């Protein structure tokens, strides 16, 4: 079966702009989690969506938001971009149940903010 | 505060050598996962350890979960250039993060195996 896909793979934006990233989970997975990866901080959890509802949230400012659609596809939005938002943004999908929440990661979107 | 500390941060060895990577925390996790990430790709799950003291073997890789479920180690025997990558440990609250997709990651160990 197809893996997790993320679009676009690369993105260059300037400070103050906003950006939307997309994630298509593995078929049948209802949970999508988003992570930010930087050399200094490593992988940090942003938020998780399950059945179109945000179920868990990390410690990121309100400029970072997301949503999930009825087909489980998810988008992440970052408004008023800052230089420090340059990172690899990863999404991971899973069945999202207590007994089976094994997460499968996509290849990521590399965001560069100039 | 980094809840999961990995060491060493960088490791450069010759093909055929053995190595151990450590993942330590002051917190208890219900399960701990190890991932490997290659440049330009997302992390790929290698193993999940759930029971304190558990040891799992995956070919030349041996994973151990500490008795108190606060630490873990990854041992690679006879490393090969194909083992090169970023090794990440991640702690979960439930079996695989419980009902919430919130994994807490260490910063990773960057391994380079030279032929």
């Amino acid at each position: 079966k197809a893996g997790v896909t993320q679009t676009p793979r690369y993105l260059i934006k300037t400070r103050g702009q906003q950006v939307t990233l997309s994630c298509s989970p593995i078929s049948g997975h209802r949970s999508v989690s988003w992570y930010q990866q930087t050399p200094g901080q490593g992988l940090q959890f942003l938020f998780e969506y399950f059945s179109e509802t945000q179920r868990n949230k990390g410690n990121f400012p309100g400029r970072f938001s997301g949503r999930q659609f009825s087909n489980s596809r998810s988008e992440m939005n970052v408004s008023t971009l800052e230089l420090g938002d340059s990172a690899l943004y990863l999404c991971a999908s899973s069945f999202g149940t207590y007994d089976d929440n094994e997460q499968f990661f996509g290849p990521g979107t590399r965001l560069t903010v100039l | 505060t980094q809840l999961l500390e990995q060491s060493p941060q960088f490791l450069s060895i010759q093909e055929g050598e053995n190595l151990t990577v450590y993942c330590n925390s002051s917190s208890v996790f219900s399960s701990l996962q190890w991932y490997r990430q290659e440049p330009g790709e997302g992390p790929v799950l290698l193993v999940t350890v759930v029971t304190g003291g558990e040891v799992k073997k995956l070919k030349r890789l041996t994973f151990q979960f500490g008795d108190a479920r606060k630490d873990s180690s990854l041992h690679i025997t006879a490393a090969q250039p194909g083992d090169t990558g970023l090794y990440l440990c991640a702690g979960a609250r439930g079996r695989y993060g419980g009902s919430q997709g919130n994994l807490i990651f260490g910063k990773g160990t960057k391994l380079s195996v030279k032929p």
Side-chain angles (χ1 to χ4, degrees):
Chain A
K1 58 184 176 183
V4 178
T5 58
Q6 291 187 245
T7 56
R9 290 295 307 274
Y10 303 91
L11 207 47
I12 299 175
K13 292 285 188 179
T14 55
R15 279 186 302 174
Q17 287 187 309
Q18 75 165 17
V19 66
T20 299
L21 312 181
S22 180
C23 173
S24 292
I26 291 171
S27 178
H29 285 184
R30 295 166 66 188
S31 168
V32 174
S33 297
W34 288 89
Y35 295 84
Q36 181 195 66
Q37 186 175 29
T38 59
Q41 297 300 317
L43 263 155
Q44 293 185 292
F45 173 74
L46 281 155
F47 31 66
E48 183 217 4
Y49 285 86
F50 181 84
S51 293
E52 302 178 66
T53 300
Q54 188 180 87
R55 190 162 67 170
N56 199 8
K57 189 176 188 302
N59 295 322
F60 277 81
R63 299 185 298 107
F64 292 83
S65 63
R67 59 178 175 168
Q68 187 180 33
F69 302 96
S70 58
N71 61 359
S72 293
R73 190 177 70 84
S74 178
E75 288 183 347
M76 189 192 95
N77 186 74
V78 188
S79 62
T80 319
L81 284 166
E82 300 177 0
L83 296 178
D85 296 334
S86 294
L88 180 67
Y89 290 89
L90 293 158
C91 80
S93 77
S94 73
F95 287 109
T97 62
Y98 185 85
D99 288 333
D100 190 350
N101 195 32
E102 184 175 338
Q103 296 188 33
F104 295 84
F105 284 83
T109 293
R110 172 73 63 185
L111 172 64
T112 302
V113 181
L114 303 176
Chain B
T1 303
Q2 191 69 28
L3 292 181
L4 275 171
E5 299 286 342
Q6 282 189 246
S7 61
Q9 277 187 285
F10 302 95
L11 196 52
S12 181
I13 61 172
Q14 293 295 130
E15 182 176 3
E17 291 184 13
N18 301 332
L19 66 115
T20 302
V21 174
Y22 299 93
C23 178
N24 295 300
S25 175
S26 57
S27 300
V28 175
F29 292 100
S30 297
S31 63
L32 204 137
Q33 301 176 27
W34 284 93
Y35 290 81
R36 185 172 78 195
Q37 185 178 20
E38 299 188 27
E41 300 295 330
V44 174
L45 181 66
L46 296 174
V47 78
T48 298
V49 284
V50 179
T51 306
E54 182 178 3
V55 177
K56 278 193 176 178
K57 290 192 175 184
L58 192 68
K59 295 182 182 177
R60 294 177 294 100
L61 278 59
T62 302
F63 304 85
Q64 185 161 7
F65 202 12
D67 291 340
R69 289 185 288 128
K70 292 183 180 180
D71 54 86
S72 181
S73 64
L74 157 60
H75 182 79
I76 301 179
T77 304
Q80 299 176 0
D83 296 327
T84 293
L86 179 68
Y87 288 82
L88 296 157
C89 66
R93 296 280 190 263
R95 180 172 175 83
Y96 294 112
S99 60
Q100 299 173 336
N102 177 5
L103 291 173
I104 298 169
F105 281 85
K107 290 190 179 181
T109 293
K110 197 167 186 178
L111 172 64
S112 173
V113 182
K114 300 184 189 318

